[in-house]
Amino acid sequence: LAADAAFWSALALATLRLSLPLILACFGGLMSERAGVANIALESYLLFSAFTAATVAHFTLSPHVGLLAGVAAAGAVGWLFATICVYGRGDQIVVGMAFNFLALGLIPILCRALFGVSGGTPALPVEARFGGIWLFAFLALAYAVYVAWMLRQTPFGLRVHAAGENPVALLNQGVDVHRVRVLAIVQGALIAGVGGACLSLALSSGYARDMSAGRGFIALAALIFGGWRPLPAVLACLAFGFTDAAQIQLQGREIAGVKWPTTLIQTLPYLAALTVLMFSRRRVLAPSAINRDLETFRSN
Amino acid sequence: MNVSVWWKNSAPSMAMTLVALIVGLGFGGLVALAVGENPAHVIGILVRGSVGSSSALAMTLFNATPIIFTGLSVMWAFRAGLFNVGAEGQMIMGSLAMLSVAYATGAASPWLAWPCVLAAGFVGGGLWGALAGWVKAYRGAHEVLVTILLNFVAFGAIAFSVVTLYRDRASQAPETWAVAPMFHLPALPVGTAHGPANLSLLLALTTSALVALALWGSVFGFRQRLVGGASEVARWNGLNVNRHIVLAMFVAGGLAGWAGLSEVFGYTFRLREGFAAGSGFMGIAVALLGRNSCLGVVLSALLFGALQTGSLALDIETEGVTREMTLVIQAALILTLASEKVFRPFLGRVLRG
């Protein structure tokens, strides 16, 4: 039984560790989508901030400076994404995919220019990374409380909500809808950047190629499953984090007398996200102005 | 059609394509400059490495073949109002299906076996696409998210196939065993006698002609475009929009399912680790740059095939720039085309003079 207790506490800790990047990325998606901008670019936020955080931590030997740099990088990426979506009036989904390609293309080139190899940063020494995940757990919790309060109780939060549900009403109030959307996206990108830094500075020792492994997309599935509300979305992220932790635990074990191949077990988190999307009919909860630019409302 | 009307309609669109190409290559050049390479030198390597010799040209045609298929796949979905980001996974599942059928029918007559293999490729990729279409139509999840997640599952399936299921134990590298010689597609007379450009290129060109015929010359194609262009009108006219979404994703997936033909049956004759490697995603840029027309897709697939081939040379011949340059150019190009609403009025003014 003692071994069992050790097993379960290890599983719980692994769940928390693997959920944190999901939760933080999910907040990034939440801020953007609640303001009416569909955000498929979360993956690129994670990759850019994980890479920048690891690179800066490598040169400064300070995880905290690395974290700040990662957050700033994600904020810059988010600002660019917001500008092209909102002012450039590009199709939000297409622009989002292009940002993911940009991350996949630009990072290996920068990596090779800085470190001579395109596969990732060198392993960070202990003093350049975080010893635990507690700072990130605290930031995630604090932001969860903040965002739940902010969206309901502050003028900015209500404007974000209106920008996503009925931007014309907001426009008629004399509010600059574009500005609200850009600010919301950038704020979301900053918190998602914390998630990226968590990946490279706390969950592993440096940046490795494509290290987010689709977490940006799983976070989006969690956001949808959580009905675009902060606390249910966090719970959904924890559930997906659990499947990821379970997947790692299950590798090399016998289930029902069969030793399942690792290659198939590794697909569990994606299968879990797909299953959730298949069995939830939640479209009605989506912000109604999502993926529509303001002009389409004006012409109606 | 009156020539001046045609010009008025398509000139801004062609100008936009040109602008996107310039911005894409220009951004690529800036990145090269930023990592300390001379952009002119980089472009020289790209051109020489892609069309500079007959073997390079053969490689370019070989690389263009799968992205003609995935470009057509993304284009079909776009025409039906859907964004298919899952061509990568559909290509993998189609190739796995073709490989399985090729193993099973290795002793049969080629006249029986080849049609079975081709059907398996289309159906295998098609079902993988249709699954995403079903979730979109009947469960309301965005097809982009669903197809991306299905891609990751397909990556697992191919890893399982090359590492465990069809693993060639005689080989050191993770790869499947080879298909029977009757499945080897003949090489085209470019480059060396062993390809890599092969007959599947002609199949890709034929398919693109057939896709054009189906989309603009058949009732089914018209309905698909109606659902994509004006789903409310389609609904009022009694079309089952949801069923058309599933069908559209089936066709899109099926087209992507054939994308593996070139590599699996024309060059390596087996599946290897790292198969596909972005060909599906490249279909997006190809379809967008090709303006969702079949001729456009073929032309931009040739361009991207050249870019892909040339950027392999970058890996070897430059210090700072890697093959990922293709992705950077792709991203800049897509971003320019996506924000075309900003450029359009300006271009219109310039063209009107």
Side-chain angles (χ1 to χ4, degrees):
Chain A
L1 199 70
D4 259 12
F7 169 79
W8 288 112
S9 69
L11 190 63
L13 189 66
T15 299
L16 182 63
R17 284 167 62 89
L18 294 167
S19 301
L20 281 174
L22 287 178
I23 293 172
L24 293 160
C26 190
F27 288 142
L30 179 88
M31 285 305 293
S32 170
E33 302 218 333
R34 283 292 287 266
V37 178
N39 197 334
I40 206 98
L42 295 177
E43 188 81 355
S44 72
Y45 293 178
L46 288 178
L47 286 171
F48 274 118
S49 70
F51 171 70
T52 312
T55 303
V56 172
H58 172 83
F59 288 116
T60 62
L61 290 180
S62 156
H64 296 94
V65 178
L67 170 63
L68 286 178
V71 169
V77 172
W79 175 80
L80 198 61
F81 171 76
T83 307
I84 296 178
C85 280
V86 174
Y87 292 106
R89 297 173 54 209
D91 182 292
Q92 295 164 2
I93 302 279
V94 176
V95 173
M97 269 324 283
F99 269 80
N100 294 331
F101 290 150
L102 196 62
L104 292 179
L106 209 48
I107 293 174
I109 293 179
L110 293 175
C111 225
R112 174 141 146 191
L114 288 167
F115 306 108
V117 287
S118 58
T121 61
L124 294 173
V126 180
E127 67 268 25
R129 53 183 208 249
F130 288 98
I133 51 164
W134 302 111
L135 174 66
F136 294 95
F138 169 75
L139 284 174
L141 187 69
Y143 194 81
V145 174
Y146 158 76
V147 79
W149 165 77
M150 187 270 285
L151 281 175
R152 281 164 185 277
Q153 307 286 337
T154 67
F156 177 67
L158 294 175
R159 283 174 180 178
V160 166
H161 188 66
E165 294 294 347
N166 193 344
V168 173
L170 196 59
L171 195 69
N172 291 342
Q173 294 263 316
V175 176
D176 185 346
V177 177
H178 289 336
R179 218 177 96 88
V180 171
R181 284 184 165 179
V182 171
L183 284 176
I185 293 170
V186 171
Q187 191 186 114
L190 292 173
I191 191 70
V194 178
C198 175
L199 277 176
S200 62
L201 297 182
L203 297 191
S204 48
S205 53
Y207 177 83
R209 180 184 282 248
D210 305 346
M211 76 182 311
S212 55
R215 284 190 177 85
F217 304 115
I218 292 181
L220 213 53
L223 181 65
I224 294 170
F225 189 52
W228 286 267
R229 286 164 300 165
L231 294 178
V234 168
L235 293 178
C237 287
L238 284 167
F240 287 138
F242 173 76
T243 58
D244 206 6
Q247 170 264 119
I248 292 168
Q249 289 290 328
L250 288 177
Q251 285 179 21
R253 280 171 189 266
E254 284 193 355
I255 313 157
V258 184
K259 200 166 169 231
W260 292 80
T262 311
T263 45
L264 290 185
I265 289 180
Q266 280 170 338
T267 62
L268 268 181
Y270 312 110
L271 286 173
L274 276 167
T275 313
V276 155
L277 291 175
M278 266 179 219
F279 293 100
S280 60
R281 252 201 110 119
R282 311 296 284 266
R283 189 194 251 170
V284 69
L285 293 171
S288 42
I290 200 162
N291 206 9
R292 295 175 67 181
D293 98 67
L294 199 55
E295 300 302 317
T296 62
F297 284 94
R298 280 186 180 150
S299 57
N300 278 351
Chain B
M1 200 194 288
N2 188 320
V3 175
S4 72
V5 172
W6 173 83
W7 173 250
K8 210 176 147 198
N9 286 339
S10 43
S13 162
M14 287 195 279
M16 195 57 221
T17 310
L18 203 64
V19 169
L21 272 176
I22 293 167
V23 172
L25 292 172
F27 186 71
L30 279 181
V31 171
L33 203 60
V35 297
E37 293 286 342
N38 178 358
H41 179 57
V42 168
I43 288 172
I45 294 173
L46 275 178
V47 173
R48 210 157 12 87
S50 57
V51 291
S53 64
S54 69
S55 63
L57 188 66
M59 200 64 195
T60 290
L61 294 177
F62 169 73
N63 279 330
T65 309
I67 50 187
I68 293 179
F69 282 115
T70 56
L72 290 173
S73 163
V74 178
M75 166 193 152
W76 187 288
F78 268 138
R79 285 287 175 183
L82 299 159
F83 188 14
N84 180 22
V85 188
E88 188 98 357
Q90 293 145 13
M91 173 179 174
I92 287 171
M93 294 320 258
S95 303
L96 282 178
M98 288 194 287
L99 200 66
S100 307
V101 171
Y103 289 150
T105 58
S109 142
W111 295 103
L112 181 72
W114 258 113
C116 290
V117 166
L118 289 179
F122 199 89
V123 173
L127 288 178
W128 205 243
L131 183 59
W134 178 82
V135 179
K136 156 90 176 178
Y138 296 99
R139 287 293 178 266
H142 200 287
E143 73 274 12
V144 167
L145 186 53
V146 180
T147 48
I148 286 174
L149 292 170
L150 283 171
N151 282 345
F152 282 104
V153 179
F155 296 153
I158 194 176
F160 173 63
S161 306
V162 300
V163 172
T164 313
L165 186 64
Y166 295 142
R167 172 73 191 266
D168 182 2
R169 304 281 163 201
S171 160
Q172 295 294 315
E175 60 184 21
T176 68
W177 61 83
V179 292
M182 72 165 179
F183 289 112
H184 295 195
L185 289 170
L188 294 180
V190 232
T192 63
H194 301 291
N198 57 67
L199 194 68
S200 59
L201 176 65
L202 300 185
L203 188 73
L205 297 176
T206 318
T207 309
S208 50
L210 288 176
V211 164
L213 209 62
L215 269 177
W216 286 278
S218 78
V219 175
F220 175 65
F222 173 74
R223 287 181 173 163
Q224 290 272 296
R225 286 186 297 121
L226 188 62
V227 167
S231 64
E232 282 307 302
V233 178
R235 214 185 303 274
W236 292 334
N237 281 287
L239 290 188
N240 185 335
V241 172
N242 282 344
R243 196 196 301 159
H244 272 279
I245 288 176
V246 179
L247 280 173
M249 286 305 290
F250 179 80
V251 177
L255 290 168
W258 281 343
L261 271 173
S262 165
E263 184 175 332
V264 179
F265 293 89
Y267 189 41
T268 59
F269 308 118
R270 69 191 82 227
L271 271 177
R272 288 190 172 142
E273 205 175 30
F275 170 75
S279 298
F281 295 121
M282 221 170 282
I284 299 168
V286 164
L288 284 171
L289 189 68
R291 295 271 148 195
N292 290 322
S293 79
C294 288
L295 183 62
V297 163
V298 170
L299 292 178
S300 45
L302 287 171
L303 177 76
F304 271 96
L307 210 55
Q308 209 182 351
T309 313
S311 63
L312 284 180
L314 288 179
D315 254 359
I316 306 161
E317 294 186 33
T318 70
E319 282 295 313
V321 184
T322 66
R323 67 182 73 175
E324 280 81 9
M325 185 53 98
T326 327
L327 277 161
V328 172
I329 295 174
Q330 224 173 303
L333 216 144
I334 297 176
L335 284 177
T336 317
L337 288 170
S339 40
E340 113 179 81
K341 284 174 196 152
V342 174
F343 294 92
R344 262 289 168 99
F346 173 71
L347 278 179
R349 267 200 302 281
V350 170
L351 289 169
R352 274 196 299 274

